[in-house]
């Protein structure tokens, strides 16, 4: 069964610091992998979309990386801001069924 | 929220009642989706529609119903048959198949059963 697992479940960091969120997926291949940001009580907003042939994609202070050998993606946030406080969701679209498989998310809190 | 609106933002339902959640999009997208989000779980697909007047069950369709009479609208009815309806419901749309096209999400409706 295709699964997507994210770690850590929650993370608290000081404003201005960097952090890295992890996404591990089982079974491959996949067609693309996405990272979403979801503010509390709001819908998810797309941050990055990577195909299986890409290994990095940036969107401002957000940089997603992909290692197909270890079946792992990371989302790196640089110089965190209070507005980065949100849940970050990893989504993998696997070949064969083209279904979106959502991870459970990482809850990030930035403190001043 | 990319041109997708959901209403109401908060909804309270008594046990045994049916309720309908509204989803409208002005993105001219063919495909629309309903997801359910529960604490500690990933989004789960309830129903999806690739084209007007056609829709398919997702992974957790039991106790829910939908219609797609207009391209812009995809309402979700939570029936009394849904035993645990308290959750955050998200509507999404995409130009085509979600595997190859970005999905845009609405702001969500939080449903609480009293």
């Amino acid at each position: 069964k295709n699964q997507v697992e994210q770690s850590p479940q929650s993370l608290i960091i000081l404003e201005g610091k960097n952090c890295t969120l992890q996404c591990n997926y089982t079974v491959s291949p996949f067609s693309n992998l996405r990272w979403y940001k979801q503010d509390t009580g709001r819908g998810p907003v797309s941050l990055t979309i990577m195909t299986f042939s890409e290994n990095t994609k940036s969107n401002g202070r957000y940089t997603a990386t992909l290692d197909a050998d270890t079946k792992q993606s990371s989302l790196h946030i640089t110089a965190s801001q209070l507005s980065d406080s949100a849940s970050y969701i990893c989504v993998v679209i696997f070949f064969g069924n083209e279904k979106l498989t959502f991870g459970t998310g990482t809850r990030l809190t930035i403190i001043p | 929220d990319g041109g997708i609106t959901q209403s109401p933002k908060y909804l309270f339902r008594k046990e045994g009642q049916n309720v309908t959640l509204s989803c409208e999009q002005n993105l001219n997208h063919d495909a629309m989706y309903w997801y359910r989000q529960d604490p500690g779980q990933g989004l789960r697909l309830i129903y999806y529609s690739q084209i007007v007047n056609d829709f398919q069950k997702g992974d957790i369709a039991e106790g829910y119903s939908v219609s797609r009479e207009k391209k812009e609208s995809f309402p979700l009815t939570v029936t009394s048959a849904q035993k645990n309806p308290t959750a955050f419901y998200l509507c999404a749309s995409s130009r085509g198949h979600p595997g190859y096209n970005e999905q845009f999400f609405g702001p969500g409706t939080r449903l609480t059963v009293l």
Side-chain angles (χ1 to χ4, degrees):
Chain A
K1 180 182 175 183
N2 296 331
Q3 287 188 313
V4 177
E5 296 180 352
Q6 294 186 243
S7 62
Q9 237 180 0
S10 61
L11 181 63
I12 302 173
I13 64 170
L14 289 173
E15 184 180 10
K17 298 295 186 182
N18 303 336
C19 66
T20 300
L21 313 180
Q22 303 288 353
C23 173
N24 296 323
Y25 59 92
T26 60
V27 187
S28 58
F30 65 90
S31 62
N32 60 85
L33 185 149
R34 307 172 185 180
W35 283 93
Y36 283 86
K37 177 186 178 187
Q38 184 178 20
D39 292 317
T40 300
R42 307 285 292 177
V45 175
S46 178
L47 292 175
T48 63
I49 300 175
M50 287 189 295
T51 66
F52 63 89
S53 60
E54 297 176 295
N55 55 25
T56 188
K57 184 69 73 78
S58 290
N59 178 0
R61 296 180 296 103
Y62 301 99
T63 299
T65 61
L66 177 62
D67 186 335
D69 292 333
T70 61
K71 297 185 178 60
Q72 186 174 73
S73 177
S74 299
L75 180 68
H76 187 72
I77 304 175
T78 304
S80 61
Q81 301 175 359
L82 297 178
S83 59
D84 292 331
S85 293
S87 289
Y88 291 84
I89 301 171
C90 175
V91 184
V92 181
I93 295 84
F94 293 97
F95 273 128
N97 59 19
E98 279 75 45
K99 273 182 61 174
L100 278 68
T101 303
F102 290 81
T104 55
T106 292
R107 177 69 203 175
L108 176 64
T109 302
I110 312 297
I111 56 175
Chain B
D1 297 317
I4 301 179
T5 58
Q6 291 185 241
S7 62
K9 187 170 178 63
Y10 299 97
L11 186 57
F12 298 90
R13 188 194 95 169
K14 293 182 180 179
E15 285 191 18
Q17 282 184 335
N18 292 353
V19 290
T20 298
L21 283 60
S22 169
C23 177
E24 305 276 334
Q25 55 98 1
N26 63 3
L27 301 169
N28 199 32
H29 285 169
D30 286 316
M32 297 186 74
Y33 317 83
W34 275 105
Y35 291 94
R36 171 179 171 143
Q37 188 173 36
D38 294 282
Q41 294 193 42
L43 272 69
R44 293 182 290 169
L45 182 64
I46 304 172
Y47 267 98
Y48 64 100
S49 168
Q50 303 279 40
I51 198 168
V52 174
N53 292 323
D54 187 45
F55 49 82
Q56 287 79 40
K57 294 181 179 180
D59 300 319
I60 55 166
E62 185 175 351
Y64 300 97
S65 66
V66 294
S67 63
R68 187 84 186 278
E69 297 176 0
K70 297 187 299 181
K71 187 176 186 177
E72 307 78 30
S73 178
F74 192 40
L76 173 74
T77 296
V78 184
T79 74
S80 57
Q82 171 50 235
K83 297 306 178 189
N84 185 23
T86 295
F88 190 53
Y89 290 87
L90 286 161
C91 178
S93 71
S94 63
R95 189 187 310 172
H97 194 290
Y100 311 106
N101 296 276
E102 184 176 353
Q103 274 193 330
F104 295 87
F105 287 85
T109 291
R110 185 165 298 280
L111 173 62
T112 303
V113 174
L114 303 175

